[in-house]
Amino acid sequence: MAKKVITLTVNGETHEQLVEDRELLIHTLRERLNLTGAHIGCETSHCGACTVDLDGRSVKSCTVFSVQADGSSVTTIEGIAASDGTLHALQEGFRIEHGLQCGYCTPGMIVRAYRLLKEIPDPTDDEIRWGISGNLCRCTGYQNIVKAVQYAASKLRVKEAAE
Ligand code: FES
Ligand code: FES
């Protein structure tokens, strides 16, 4: 089986890994780098539980070969909070607005919403629903997820205005 050394910068740390051509990014993150926040729900690109940020785009890491990500920067849920542990506004929003129940979809939801709010800082509810339409949640009915993202959007806008 062909193997290749790849370099990934994940949450600001650079890693070199020897991977098979067929290895998926979600497996490199979870099994080699021990970053188990991104979940595996379907491995067929339907559920979005494996969503990570790859060079400024949301991707389902079960649909990306690790060799395709060679040289890229990846942000996972482990890289969303501040380095001192302060929660990101999205994490706070999901907690305050009860945007999760079992939590299985939550890392993917938050990482997806992180990019969505960079693309659309003041989204409508419909834009949030469209923006997270690739991420499935079996528990919440989405209502509180939308509220959580709106909470974060509002908080981030206030923060940006103050800077
Ligand atoms: S595990 Fe990747 S989309 Fe479901
Ligand atoms: S909180 Fe359970 S799947 Fe979303």
Side-chain angles (χ1 to χ4, degrees):
M1 193 62 66
K3 289 191 175 184
K4 185 180 176 205
V5 176
I6 62 165
T7 304
L8 291 176
T9 302
V10 185
N11 303 329
E13 267 185 43
T14 301
H15 305 267
E16 279 197 352
Q17 293 289 329
L18 179 64
V19 299
E20 289 184 6
D21 287 352
R22 64 178 181 173
E23 182 165 317
L24 297 170
L25 182 57
I26 184 69
H27 294 298
T28 302
L29 294 172
R30 289 179 56 88
E31 291 151 32
R32 295 184 188 276
L33 303 184
N34 207 24
L35 294 168
T36 54
H39 290 155
I40 300 171
C42 64
E43 258 190 335
T44 55
S45 82
H46 286 93
C47 74
C50 63
T51 302
V52 299
D53 204 78
L54 178 69
D55 289 338
R57 290 167 55 206
S58 301
V59 298
K60 294 176 176 175
S61 58
C62 74
T63 65
V64 177
F65 290 116
S66 300
V67 291
Q68 291 177 296
D70 185 19
S72 295
S73 288
V74 179
T75 303
T76 68
I77 188 66
E78 289 90 345
I80 294 287
S83 52
D84 67 358
T86 305
L87 294 183
H88 186 277
L90 277 161
Q91 294 169 309
E92 203 179 289
F94 272 68
R95 181 173 61 83
I96 288 172
E97 299 290 355
H98 306 288
L100 65 147
Q101 288 179 25
C102 79
Y104 202 83
C105 70
T106 311
M109 281 287 182
I110 288 181
V111 173
R112 171 57 198 136
Y114 171 80
R115 182 53 48 193
L116 175 66
L117 291 185
K118 288 195 181 294
E119 293 163 352
I120 311 176
D122 189 4
T124 63
D125 286 1
D126 280 352
E127 285 170 329
I128 294 172
R129 286 179 185 277
W130 174 250
I132 61 167
S133 58
N135 293 67
L136 302 182
C137 176
R138 295 167 62 129
C139 305
T140 64
Y142 300 97
Q143 197 64 35
N144 288 352
I145 291 176
V146 174
K147 283 189 199 165
V149 177
Q150 286 293 19
Y151 172 98
S154 161
K155 187 158 184 187
L156 291 171
R157 286 197 304 274
V158 169
K159 187 171 166 224
E160 188 155 313
E163 286 172 354

